[in-house]
Amino acid sequence: MTDLNIGTRTLGKASPLTVSTLGLGCMGMSAFYGAADEDTAIAVIHRALDLGVTFLDTADSYGPFTNERLVGKAIAGRRDEVVLATKFGRVQRPDGSVVIDGRPEYVRAACDASLQRLGVDHIDLYYQHRVDKTVPIEETVGAMAELVQAGKVRHIGLSEASAATIRRAHAVHPITALQTEYSLFTRDLEDEILPTLRELGIGLVPYSPLGRGLLTGRLEVDRLPPDDVRRTSFFPRFQGEALDANLALVAKVRELAEAKGVTPGQLALAWVLAQGDDIVPIPGTKRVTYLEENVAAASITLTEEDLAALEQAVPRGAVVGDRYGDMSPIDT
């Protein structure tokens, strides 16, 4: 695949941030899906930068902590090429349990720790990973705004926040982006959250735009590594009859992709990109081959007929199973 620049999009209007049309989600290199070899992961990140995919996404909870160190190592010497996003607030205790922490004092400490692990002097986009329902969002965002004033953070964002919370947060300091799950398989945000983002001029950064791998058409759950969390009830869509029903939907996507001469994953990514130029998906991968396949999706143009066919193949709400086994951390 020849090198190319995939172009840029702008997240946010009140506090605009220009990023590559596609980003790279780095989580899977360190957590959830079985750790990748470090050298291979760094090679993927370097290839992404070469292809113009300069919007990198990580979080302190990935690993935990190891993913930020990995990304920091990969971008050493290339910091000026990167729009770097990381997150705070999802804290894993020694016993493996997770708590959400949005206290201002924690926000400040978490940012300093992330800067150190990443080896940088500022974070381009700093997200609250999950909303702490015990701390008023105004207090958390107020602390994030102080980080902007201090020069440690350039732009701030939220992840998995409700429309009401987004409005309250945006009133304290401009929110540049909301990160949440969005794909052909996850469209609930279209009711209230997406219209709110557009009213306020906030960009959308979809994670899992390939349905955690299902929409690639390649995934074989029984061949996943033993430590891949998709094997567990944490992701109900990958279990039993739900998986069978969802794979039947993937088969329909594959038929449409073959007719268009693209892969199912490319068609699914192109669908997300076609939903608006204020949307920048961040598909993750641990392989250069799949990275290049994803990048090529940015050049696919979908016609009205293509979009209608996808709507018919995967009607909204057709996917079986919640996206998480425990949806309680989601701010609804």
Side-chain angles (χ1 to χ4, degrees):
M1 180 177 180
T2 58
D3 287 2
L4 54 89
N5 192 301
I6 64 171
T8 61
R9 290 185 168 188
T10 299
L11 297 171
K13 291 183 178 179
S15 179
L17 175 63
T18 299
V19 301
S20 52
T21 298
L22 280 177
L24 176 63
C26 299
M27 178 192 74
M29 297 174 179
S30 304
F32 279 84
Y33 306 139
D37 172 76
E38 182 178 276
D39 290 341
T40 301
I42 290 174
V44 170
I45 294 173
H46 287 171
R47 181 61 174 150
L49 299 182
D50 293 341
L51 291 170
V53 180
T54 55
F55 184 34
L56 304 183
D57 184 89
T58 182
D60 59 4
S61 67
Y62 299 161
F65 310 130
T66 55
N67 197 245
E68 285 187 327
R69 295 190 185 102
L70 170 68
V71 171
K73 186 174 182 179
I75 67 173
R78 303 186 70 171
R79 175 65 179 99
D80 291 346
E81 300 175 49
V82 174
V83 177
L84 183 60
T86 191
K87 313 174 197 72
F88 73 91
R90 187 179 180 276
V91 184
Q92 185 170 317
R93 292 169 167 167
D95 65 0
S97 63
V98 173
V99 296
I100 308 302
D101 195 340
R103 295 171 300 133
E105 58 269 32
Y106 180 76
V107 176
R108 292 187 284 268
C111 181
D112 287 343
S114 286
L115 288 170
Q116 183 176 27
R117 283 188 293 268
L118 290 162
V120 299
D121 63 4
H122 73 276
I123 295 162
D124 296 300
L125 178 56
Y126 199 39
Y127 294 101
Q128 182 181 18
H129 204 156
R130 292 291 185 271
V131 175
D132 185 345
K133 300 174 186 179
T134 70
V135 177
I137 192 65
E138 291 82 359
E139 293 184 15
T140 303
V141 173
M144 297 170 75
E146 292 174 3
L147 296 174
V148 175
Q149 293 163 4
K152 296 179 179 181
V153 168
R154 298 285 170 83
H155 303 266
I156 66 174
L158 303 175
S159 180
E160 293 286 6
S162 68
T165 297
I166 294 165
R167 290 184 184 279
R168 289 169 56 194
H170 195 65
V172 175
H173 186 280
I175 301 299
T176 294
L178 174 77
Q179 183 172 137
T180 194
E181 188 169 351
Y182 187 45
S183 71
L184 272 169
F185 272 17
T186 299
R187 297 177 57 183
D188 49 297
L189 59 78
E190 293 175 350
D191 290 332
E192 189 176 4
I193 292 175
L194 191 52
T196 299
L197 297 180
R198 287 178 169 157
E199 175 191 336
L200 299 176
I202 299 170
L204 175 65
V205 178
Y207 71 84
S208 299
L210 294 173
R212 300 189 184 277
L214 274 177
L215 284 162
T216 65
R218 290 187 293 260
L219 191 67
E220 297 179 61
V221 175
D222 59 353
R223 299 185 67 177
L224 292 174
D227 55 347
D228 191 310
V229 75
R230 287 171 293 186
R231 283 181 169 272
T232 73
S233 60
F234 190 78
F235 290 132
R237 293 177 177 178
F238 290 81
Q239 312 306 313
E241 294 180 358
L243 177 63
D244 293 338
N246 295 333
L247 288 176
L249 297 174
V250 173
K252 295 180 180 180
V253 175
R254 181 186 293 108
E255 290 179 9
L256 295 175
E258 290 174 350
K260 198 169 178 67
V262 300
T263 69
Q266 287 174 329
L267 187 61
L269 275 179
W271 179 89
V272 175
L273 289 166
Q275 303 311 302
D277 60 9
D278 54 351
I279 296 176
V280 178
I282 51 168
T285 183
K286 294 186 283 190
R287 300 185 188 182
V288 168
T289 300
Y290 296 159
L291 167 73
E292 293 177 344
E293 179 181 316
N294 292 343
V295 168
S299 300
I300 297 171
T301 299
L302 299 185
T303 65
E304 290 299 323
E305 291 76 13
D306 292 331
L307 294 170
L310 281 166
E311 190 75 32
Q312 184 175 9
V314 187
R316 185 179 159 182
V319 175
V320 178
D322 286 339
R323 54 195 181 100
Y324 290 108
D326 177 10
M327 296 288 285
S328 61
I330 306 301
D331 178 28
T332 57

